[in-house]
Amino acid sequence: MDEAGLPILAIQRLRMTTDGTGVTTLICSMGCPLRCRLCINPASWDKTVPGEILSVDELYERVKIDNLYFLTTNGGLTFGGGEPLLHSAFLKSFMEKYRETNWLFNLESSLNVSRKNLDDVIPYIHDFIIDTKDFNEERYKAYTGGEYGIFFENLMYLKEKVGPDRILLRIPVIPFLHKGNEAEENRAEFEKLGFTRFDVFPYVNPENRKPISEKAKENREILLKPAKEELAKEES
Amino acid sequence: MKGKDKCKALKEIRAKIAEENDIEYVVSECKHKGDCKGTCPKCEAELIYLEKELEKRRSLGKRVCVTGLAVGMAATVAGCTPASVIDPIVEFFGGGIGTEDLAGAAQPPEPVMGEVEPPIETLDGEVEYVPDSENSSEEDCSGEDCSEENGSEENGSEDPNGGSEDGKGDNDIPDLAGEALPPEEF
Ligand code: SF4
Protein backbone atom coordinates (compact mmCIF):
# COMPACT_ATOMS: atom_id res chain seq x y z
CA MET A 1 0.00 0.00 0.00
CA ASP A 2 1.36 3.43 -0.90
CA GLU A 3 2.04 5.96 1.79
CA ALA A 4 0.17 9.17 0.97
CA GLY A 5 2.93 11.58 1.85
CA LEU A 6 6.44 11.78 3.22
CA PRO A 7 6.91 13.82 6.39
CA ILE A 8 10.05 15.84 5.77
CA LEU A 9 12.41 17.32 8.30
CA ALA A 10 14.61 18.98 5.68
CA ILE A 11 15.69 18.88 2.08
CA GLN A 12 19.27 19.99 1.64
CA ARG A 13 20.62 20.58 -1.82
CA LEU A 14 24.03 20.69 -3.37
CA ARG A 15 25.89 18.41 -1.01
CA MET A 16 29.09 17.29 -2.62
CA THR A 17 30.28 13.79 -1.89
CA THR A 18 28.93 14.14 1.67
CA ASP A 19 26.18 11.54 1.24
CA GLY A 20 27.14 9.59 -1.84
CA THR A 21 28.98 10.29 -5.07
CA GLY A 22 28.71 13.57 -6.94
CA VAL A 23 26.20 16.27 -6.16
CA THR A 24 23.37 14.99 -3.99
CA THR A 25 20.26 16.30 -2.34
CA LEU A 26 19.66 14.93 1.13
CA ILE A 27 16.03 14.25 1.97
CA CYS A 28 15.62 13.84 5.70
CA SER A 29 12.35 12.29 6.73
CA MET A 30 10.72 12.38 10.15
CA GLY A 31 10.62 9.58 12.67
CA CYS A 32 13.10 7.06 13.99
CA PRO A 33 12.80 3.83 15.96
CA LEU A 34 16.13 4.48 17.71
CA ARG A 35 17.24 7.04 20.27
CA CYS A 36 20.95 7.31 19.68
CA ARG A 37 22.45 9.24 22.57
CA LEU A 38 24.39 11.59 20.30
CA CYS A 39 21.77 11.73 17.55
CA ILE A 40 22.83 14.26 14.95
CA ASN A 41 19.26 15.01 13.80
CA PRO A 42 17.14 14.82 16.98
CA ALA A 43 14.52 17.11 15.42
CA SER A 44 13.48 14.04 13.44
CA TRP A 45 12.00 12.49 16.60
CA ASP A 46 11.89 15.01 19.46
CA LYS A 47 8.66 16.64 18.22
CA THR A 48 10.18 20.14 18.15
CA VAL A 49 9.24 20.52 14.48
CA PRO A 50 6.05 19.24 12.85
CA GLY A 51 7.64 18.25 9.52
CA GLU A 52 6.16 19.02 6.16
CA ILE A 53 4.20 16.38 4.26
CA LEU A 54 5.03 16.06 0.57
CA SER A 55 3.45 13.86 -2.06
CA VAL A 56 5.56 11.93 -4.56
CA ASP A 57 5.16 14.62 -7.21
CA GLU A 58 5.66 17.47 -4.78
CA LEU A 59 8.94 15.97 -3.69
CA TYR A 60 10.03 15.67 -7.30
CA GLU A 61 9.13 19.31 -7.91
CA ARG A 62 11.34 20.32 -4.98
CA VAL A 63 14.41 18.44 -6.14
CA LYS A 64 14.28 18.55 -9.94
CA ILE A 65 16.14 21.88 -10.19
CA ASP A 66 19.42 20.00 -9.72
CA ASN A 67 18.76 17.49 -12.49
CA LEU A 68 21.80 18.60 -14.51
CA TYR A 69 24.13 18.48 -11.52
CA PHE A 70 22.91 14.99 -10.65
CA LEU A 71 23.35 13.68 -14.17
CA THR A 72 26.73 15.24 -14.84
CA THR A 73 28.31 14.13 -11.55
CA ASN A 74 26.62 10.73 -11.14
CA GLY A 75 24.83 12.13 -8.13
CA GLY A 76 21.19 12.10 -7.12
CA LEU A 77 19.08 11.80 -4.02
CA THR A 78 20.06 10.43 -0.64
CA PHE A 79 17.22 9.42 1.64
CA GLY A 80 18.12 9.92 5.28
CA GLY A 81 16.41 10.92 8.46
CA GLY A 82 15.44 9.90 11.05
CA GLU A 83 14.95 6.49 9.59
CA PRO A 84 13.85 6.73 5.96
CA LEU A 85 12.81 3.08 5.83
CA LEU A 86 9.88 3.89 8.10
CA HIS A 87 8.47 5.38 4.89
CA SER A 88 9.51 2.61 2.54
CA ALA A 89 6.18 2.48 0.69
CA PHE A 90 6.49 6.14 -0.18
CA LEU A 91 10.14 5.77 -1.21
CA LYS A 92 9.23 2.83 -3.40
CA SER A 93 6.49 4.82 -5.14
CA PHE A 94 8.80 7.77 -5.64
CA MET A 95 11.70 5.76 -7.01
CA GLU A 96 9.46 3.64 -9.22
CA LYS A 97 7.91 6.72 -10.77
CA TYR A 98 11.13 8.65 -11.18
CA ARG A 99 13.69 5.96 -11.86
CA GLU A 100 13.79 7.11 -15.50
CA THR A 101 15.42 10.33 -14.40
CA ASN A 102 18.65 8.32 -14.22
CA TRP A 103 19.47 9.98 -10.92
CA LEU A 104 21.15 7.70 -8.43
CA PHE A 105 19.19 6.98 -5.27
CA ASN A 106 21.10 6.34 -2.06
CA LEU A 107 19.78 5.29 1.31
CA GLU A 108 21.21 6.13 4.69
CA SER A 109 19.65 3.83 7.25
CA SER A 110 20.26 2.06 10.54
CA LEU A 111 18.20 -0.92 9.24
CA ASN A 112 16.26 -1.16 12.50
CA VAL A 113 12.97 -1.79 10.70
CA SER A 114 10.92 -4.75 9.55
CA ARG A 115 12.27 -6.85 6.68
CA LYS A 116 9.41 -5.84 4.43
CA ASN A 117 10.41 -2.19 4.60
CA LEU A 118 13.89 -3.08 3.47
CA ASP A 119 12.60 -5.30 0.67
CA ASP A 120 10.49 -2.40 -0.63
CA VAL A 121 13.53 -0.34 -1.61
CA ILE A 122 16.27 -2.84 -2.46
CA PRO A 123 15.60 -2.85 -6.23
CA TYR A 124 15.95 0.92 -6.51
CA ILE A 125 18.86 1.87 -4.28
CA HIS A 126 22.32 2.39 -5.74
CA ASP A 127 24.31 2.74 -2.55
CA PHE A 128 23.32 1.60 0.93
CA ILE A 129 24.96 3.72 3.63
CA ILE A 130 24.44 1.84 6.84
CA ASP A 131 24.81 3.38 10.28
CA THR A 132 26.10 0.43 12.25
CA LYS A 133 26.46 2.17 15.62
CA ASP A 134 28.18 -0.84 17.21
CA PHE A 135 28.96 -4.46 16.44
CA ASN A 136 28.70 -5.37 20.09
CA GLU A 137 25.14 -6.16 21.14
CA GLU A 138 25.35 -4.71 24.64
CA ARG A 139 26.91 -1.47 23.54
CA TYR A 140 24.48 -1.20 20.60
CA LYS A 141 21.54 -1.44 22.97
CA ALA A 142 23.09 1.00 25.45
CA TYR A 143 23.79 3.54 22.73
CA THR A 144 20.62 3.30 20.63
CA GLY A 145 18.00 1.83 22.95
CA GLY A 146 17.09 -0.45 20.02
CA GLU A 147 17.11 -4.17 19.25
CA TYR A 148 20.44 -5.37 17.89
CA GLY A 149 19.01 -8.51 16.30
CA ILE A 150 16.75 -6.59 13.91
CA PHE A 151 19.68 -4.49 12.67
CA PHE A 152 22.10 -7.38 12.39
CA GLU A 153 19.77 -9.76 10.60
CA ASN A 154 18.75 -7.07 8.12
CA LEU A 155 22.37 -6.24 7.50
CA MET A 156 23.28 -9.83 6.69
CA TYR A 157 20.18 -10.18 4.53
CA LEU A 158 21.10 -7.03 2.63
CA LYS A 159 24.60 -8.35 1.98
CA GLU A 160 23.12 -11.55 0.58
CA LYS A 161 20.78 -9.59 -1.66
CA VAL A 162 23.02 -6.86 -3.07
CA GLY A 163 26.57 -7.93 -2.23
CA PRO A 164 29.13 -6.00 -0.17
CA ASP A 165 30.14 -3.60 -2.97
CA ARG A 166 26.95 -1.63 -2.67
CA ILE A 167 27.09 -1.32 1.11
CA LEU A 168 29.10 1.32 2.93
CA LEU A 169 29.32 0.61 6.63
CA ARG A 170 29.63 3.67 8.81
CA ILE A 171 31.54 2.82 11.95
CA PRO A 172 31.39 5.62 14.50
CA VAL A 173 33.93 6.26 17.22
CA ILE A 174 31.54 7.14 20.02
CA PRO A 175 32.90 9.34 22.81
CA PHE A 176 32.26 7.95 26.30
CA LEU A 177 31.09 4.62 24.89
CA HIS A 178 34.11 3.29 23.05
CA LYS A 179 37.27 2.65 24.92
CA GLY A 180 40.62 2.09 23.32
CA ASN A 181 40.31 0.55 19.90
CA GLU A 182 36.72 -0.63 20.12
CA ALA A 183 35.59 1.16 16.98
CA GLU A 184 38.43 -0.39 14.98
CA GLU A 185 37.54 -3.76 16.49
CA ASN A 186 33.98 -3.24 15.27
CA ARG A 187 35.32 -2.70 11.81
CA ALA A 188 37.44 -5.86 11.99
CA GLU A 189 34.38 -7.89 13.01
CA PHE A 190 32.37 -6.61 10.06
CA GLU A 191 35.30 -7.31 7.79
CA LYS A 192 35.34 -10.93 8.94
CA LEU A 193 31.71 -11.17 7.82
CA GLY A 194 32.64 -10.16 4.29
CA PHE A 195 31.98 -6.43 4.27
CA THR A 196 34.51 -4.38 2.36
CA ARG A 197 33.59 -0.70 2.49
CA PHE A 198 33.95 1.24 5.73
CA ASP A 199 33.88 4.76 7.00
CA VAL A 200 35.32 5.01 10.52
CA PHE A 201 34.59 8.47 11.87
CA PRO A 202 34.22 10.26 15.21
CA TYR A 203 30.90 11.36 16.60
CA VAL A 204 30.80 14.91 17.87
CA ASN A 205 28.55 16.64 20.33
CA PRO A 206 25.51 17.64 18.24
CA GLU A 207 25.06 20.69 20.47
CA ASN A 208 28.34 22.08 19.17
CA ARG A 209 26.83 22.23 15.71
CA LYS A 210 23.28 23.44 16.23
CA PRO A 211 20.81 24.04 19.05
CA ILE A 212 19.19 20.85 20.34
CA SER A 213 16.06 20.33 22.41
CA GLU A 214 15.85 19.53 26.11
CA LYS A 215 14.51 16.13 25.15
CA ALA A 216 17.58 15.47 23.03
CA LYS A 217 19.80 16.63 25.88
CA GLU A 218 18.06 14.26 28.30
CA ASN A 219 18.57 11.43 25.82
CA ARG A 220 22.24 12.34 25.54
CA GLU A 221 22.68 12.41 29.32
CA ILE A 222 21.85 8.69 29.48
CA LEU A 223 25.28 8.18 27.93
CA LEU A 224 27.09 11.14 29.41
CA LYS A 225 26.00 11.06 33.05
CA PRO A 226 27.68 7.80 34.05
CA ALA A 227 30.73 8.68 31.97
CA LYS A 228 31.04 12.09 33.61
CA GLU A 229 30.64 10.54 37.06
CA GLU A 230 33.36 8.05 36.28
CA LEU A 231 35.65 10.83 35.06
CA ALA A 232 34.98 12.83 38.24
CA LYS A 233 35.75 9.78 40.37
CA GLU A 234 39.03 9.23 38.55
CA GLU A 235 40.02 12.86 39.02
CA SER A 236 39.29 12.95 42.76
CA MET B 1 33.35 22.89 2.03
CA LYS B 2 32.52 26.56 2.02
CA GLY B 3 29.60 27.81 -0.02
CA LYS B 4 31.93 29.85 -2.18
CA ASP B 5 33.96 26.76 -3.11
CA LYS B 6 30.77 24.90 -3.85
CA CYS B 7 29.61 27.75 -6.04
CA LYS B 8 32.90 27.67 -7.94
CA ALA B 9 32.58 23.93 -8.54
CA LEU B 10 28.98 24.28 -9.75
CA LYS B 11 29.97 27.10 -12.08
CA GLU B 12 32.62 24.85 -13.58
CA ILE B 13 30.04 22.12 -14.09
CA ARG B 14 27.70 24.55 -15.83
CA ALA B 15 30.50 25.82 -18.04
CA LYS B 16 31.36 22.24 -18.99
CA ILE B 17 27.75 21.45 -19.92
CA ALA B 18 27.60 24.57 -22.08
CA GLU B 19 30.92 23.85 -23.75
CA GLU B 20 30.12 20.23 -24.56
CA ASN B 21 26.75 21.14 -26.00
CA ASP B 22 27.69 24.30 -27.87
CA ILE B 23 25.52 26.50 -25.75
CA GLU B 24 26.39 30.14 -25.48
CA TYR B 25 27.13 30.81 -21.85
CA VAL B 26 29.40 33.19 -20.03
CA VAL B 27 30.25 32.35 -16.45
CA SER B 28 29.24 35.33 -14.37
CA GLU B 29 31.43 36.71 -11.66
CA CYS B 30 29.97 36.70 -8.17
CA LYS B 31 30.13 40.05 -6.40
CA HIS B 32 28.68 38.80 -3.12
CA LYS B 33 30.98 39.22 -0.13
CA GLY B 34 30.90 36.59 2.58
CA ASP B 35 29.81 32.99 2.42
CA CYS B 36 26.62 31.64 0.88
CA LYS B 37 24.84 28.35 0.25
CA GLY B 38 26.76 27.73 -2.93
CA THR B 39 23.96 28.97 -5.12
CA CYS B 40 21.85 32.09 -5.57
CA PRO B 41 19.05 33.25 -7.89
CA LYS B 42 21.60 34.19 -10.53
CA CYS B 43 23.22 30.76 -10.48
CA GLU B 44 19.79 29.12 -10.54
CA ALA B 45 18.78 31.21 -13.55
CA GLU B 46 21.88 30.01 -15.36
CA LEU B 47 21.03 26.42 -14.55
CA ILE B 48 17.48 26.80 -15.84
CA TYR B 49 18.79 28.50 -18.95
CA LEU B 50 20.98 25.48 -19.63
CA GLU B 51 18.07 23.08 -19.13
CA LYS B 52 16.02 25.06 -21.64
CA GLU B 53 18.83 25.19 -24.16
CA LEU B 54 19.36 21.43 -23.87
CA GLU B 55 15.66 20.86 -24.32
CA LYS B 56 15.76 22.98 -27.48
CA ARG B 57 18.60 20.88 -28.81
CA ARG B 58 16.69 17.68 -28.07
CA SER B 59 13.59 18.90 -29.80
CA LEU B 60 15.67 19.78 -32.87
CA GLY B 61 17.01 16.24 -32.88
CA LYS B 62 20.52 17.32 -31.94
CA ARG B 63 22.72 15.38 -29.61
CA VAL B 64 22.99 16.39 -26.01
CA CYS B 65 25.86 15.45 -23.80
CA VAL B 66 25.18 15.41 -20.09
CA THR B 67 25.47 12.06 -18.35
CA GLY B 68 28.69 11.65 -16.42
CA LEU B 69 30.17 14.79 -17.97
CA ALA B 70 31.52 16.17 -14.72
CA VAL B 71 32.16 13.02 -12.72
CA GLY B 72 34.96 13.80 -10.32
CA MET B 73 34.45 17.56 -10.50
CA ALA B 74 32.44 17.55 -7.31
CA ALA B 75 34.85 15.15 -5.64
CA THR B 76 37.99 17.15 -6.32
CA VAL B 77 36.70 20.26 -4.64
CA ALA B 78 34.90 18.62 -1.72
CA GLY B 79 36.64 18.85 1.60
CA CYS B 80 37.03 15.70 3.59
CA THR B 81 36.98 15.46 7.33
CA PRO B 82 40.17 13.80 8.49
CA ALA B 83 38.34 11.49 10.84
CA SER B 84 41.37 9.54 11.92
CA VAL B 85 43.23 12.54 13.30
CA ILE B 86 40.43 13.81 15.52
CA ASP B 87 40.30 12.70 19.10
CA PRO B 88 36.57 12.41 19.77
CA ILE B 89 36.83 13.06 23.49
CA VAL B 90 38.91 16.21 23.01
CA GLU B 91 36.57 17.42 20.30
CA PHE B 92 33.44 16.61 22.22
CA PHE B 93 33.12 19.74 24.33
CA GLY B 94 35.35 21.87 22.21
CA GLY B 95 33.14 23.41 19.54
CA GLY B 96 33.06 20.66 16.96
CA ILE B 97 35.07 20.26 13.81
CA GLY B 98 36.34 23.14 11.73
CA THR B 99 34.50 25.95 13.46
CA GLU B 100 37.25 28.48 12.83
CA ASP B 101 39.13 29.32 9.72
CA LEU B 102 42.73 30.50 9.74
CA ALA B 103 41.75 34.13 10.21
CA GLY B 104 39.73 33.18 13.26
CA ALA B 105 36.36 33.94 11.72
CA ALA B 106 33.49 31.69 12.75
CA GLN B 107 32.66 29.10 10.09
CA PRO B 108 29.78 26.70 9.92
CA PRO B 109 31.06 23.18 10.61
CA GLU B 110 31.53 20.86 7.65
CA PRO B 111 28.32 18.88 7.18
CA VAL B 112 28.63 15.26 8.10
CA MET B 113 26.92 12.46 6.27
CA GLY B 114 23.18 12.55 6.81
CA GLU B 115 23.27 15.61 9.01
CA VAL B 116 20.77 18.41 8.53
CA GLU B 117 22.87 21.55 8.48
CA PRO B 118 21.81 24.65 10.36
CA PRO B 119 20.54 27.31 7.98
CA ILE B 120 23.06 29.62 6.30
CA GLU B 121 22.38 32.98 4.73
CA THR B 122 19.97 32.95 1.81
CA LEU B 123 20.55 35.35 -1.02
CA ASP B 124 17.29 36.66 -2.42
CA GLY B 125 16.67 38.45 -5.65
CA GLU B 126 15.30 38.21 -9.14
CA VAL B 127 17.73 37.44 -11.91
CA GLU B 128 17.43 36.21 -15.43
CA TYR B 129 20.29 34.80 -17.45
CA VAL B 130 20.41 36.43 -20.87
CA PRO B 131 23.03 35.21 -23.32
CA ASP B 132 24.62 37.62 -25.79
CA SER B 133 22.85 36.01 -28.71
CA GLU B 134 21.04 32.84 -29.61
CA ASN B 135 23.41 30.05 -30.53
CA SER B 136 22.27 28.04 -33.49
CA SER B 137 25.33 25.86 -34.05
CA GLU B 138 24.41 22.37 -35.19
CA GLU B 139 27.73 20.75 -34.38
CA ASP B 140 27.53 17.55 -32.44
CA CYS B 141 29.59 17.15 -29.34
CA SER B 142 32.09 14.36 -29.25
CA GLY B 143 32.11 13.36 -25.57
CA GLU B 144 32.22 9.64 -24.82
CA ASP B 145 29.07 9.70 -22.79
CA CYS B 146 26.97 11.37 -25.44
CA SER B 147 23.79 9.69 -26.45
CA GLU B 148 21.36 10.41 -29.22
CA GLU B 149 18.27 12.44 -28.59
CA ASN B 150 16.23 9.26 -28.41
CA GLY B 151 18.75 7.54 -26.17
CA SER B 152 19.50 3.89 -26.59
CA GLU B 153 18.74 1.14 -24.14
CA GLU B 154 22.40 0.47 -23.84
CA ASN B 155 23.52 3.98 -22.96
CA GLY B 156 20.44 4.99 -21.09
CA SER B 157 19.00 8.40 -21.72
CA GLU B 158 19.86 11.57 -19.88
CA ASP B 159 16.49 12.95 -20.81
CA PRO B 160 14.38 12.75 -17.65
CA ASN B 161 11.40 12.02 -19.89
CA GLY B 162 12.99 8.92 -21.25
CA GLY B 163 13.18 10.57 -24.66
CA SER B 164 10.84 9.93 -27.51
CA GLU B 165 10.30 11.23 -31.00
CA ASP B 166 8.04 14.08 -30.11
CA GLY B 167 10.27 15.21 -27.29
CA LYS B 168 7.72 14.13 -24.71
CA GLY B 169 8.31 11.26 -22.35
CA ASP B 170 6.97 7.78 -22.90
CA ASN B 171 6.17 7.51 -19.24
CA ASP B 172 4.46 9.59 -16.61
CA ILE B 173 7.38 11.72 -15.63
CA PRO B 174 6.46 15.40 -15.81
CA ASP B 175 8.46 17.43 -18.28
CA LEU B 176 11.43 18.77 -16.37
CA ALA B 177 13.08 21.24 -18.68
CA GLY B 178 9.79 22.45 -20.08
CA GLU B 179 8.42 23.16 -16.64
CA ALA B 180 11.38 25.08 -15.29
CA LEU B 181 10.32 28.19 -13.48
CA PRO B 182 11.04 31.40 -15.28
CA PRO B 183 13.84 33.13 -13.37
CA GLU B 184 11.56 35.99 -12.34
CA GLU B 185 9.57 33.55 -10.20
CA PHE B 186 12.44 32.91 -7.83
S1 SF4 C 1 19.26 6.36 13.94
FE1 SF4 C 1 20.03 7.33 15.73
S2 SF4 C 1 21.21 9.08 14.95
FE2 SF4 C 1 19.87 8.43 13.30
S3 SF4 C 1 18.02 9.72 13.57
FE3 SF4 C 1 17.67 7.78 14.65
S4 SF4 C 1 18.21 8.26 16.74
FE4 SF4 C 1 19.15 9.86 15.43
Side-chain angles (χ1 to χ4, degrees), chain A residues 41-155:
Chain A
N41 290 329
S44 65
W45 51 260
D46 66 8
K47 299 198 166 67
T48 52
V49 291
E52 185 188 3
I53 312 269
L54 295 184
S55 70
V56 164
D57 291 336
E58 284 167 344
L59 179 58
Y60 175 72
E61 289 298 314
R62 290 279 189 96
V63 296
K64 72 178 187 182
I65 176 82
D66 293 316
N67 172 56
L68 285 179
Y69 294 144
F70 296 157
L71 293 178
T72 50
T73 64
N74 283 355
L77 305 181
T78 298
F79 298 103
E83 174 50 69
L85 287 182
L86 292 181
H87 312 284
S88 61
F90 179 95
L91 299 186
K92 182 179 176 182
S93 305
F94 181 90
M95 292 187 286
E96 178 62 36
K97 184 162 185 184
Y98 292 110
R99 70 195 311 181
E100 301 280 334
T101 55
N102 287 329
W103 303 343
L104 297 185
F105 299 127
N106 305 309
L107 176 80
E108 199 201 354
S109 166
S110 63
L111 297 183
N112 214 297
V113 292
S114 77
R115 179 67 50 83
K116 177 183 174 308
N117 294 35
L118 178 57
D119 276 331
D120 276 347
V121 304
I122 283 178
Y124 307 93
I125 297 292
H126 171 73
D127 220 8
F128 293 85
I129 302 164
I130 305 302
D131 291 321
T132 62
K133 320 294 183 189
D134 208 305
F135 185 84
N136 174 285
E137 182 165 0
E138 240 172 75
R139 287 195 308 252
Y140 181 96
K141 178 119 184 105
Y143 180 70
T144 66
E147 281 304 318
Y148 179 82
I150 300 174
F151 150 70
F152 188 76
E153 278 160 33
N154 276 337
L155 181 65

Side-chain angles (χ1 to χ4, degrees), chain B residues 92-111:
Chain B
F92 194 77
F93 295 109
I97 299 167
T99 50
E100 286 200 349
D101 68 11
L102 293 175
Q107 292 293 315
E110 287 292 333

Side-chain angles (χ1 to χ4, degrees), chain A residues 176 179 226-236, chain B residues 89:
Chain A
F176 306 107
K179 298 183 180 68
K228 279 185 198 161
E229 283 168 3
E230 210 174 296
L231 273 180
K233 233 191 266 168
E234 276 171 23
E235 275 168 21
S236 64
Chain B
I89 305 279

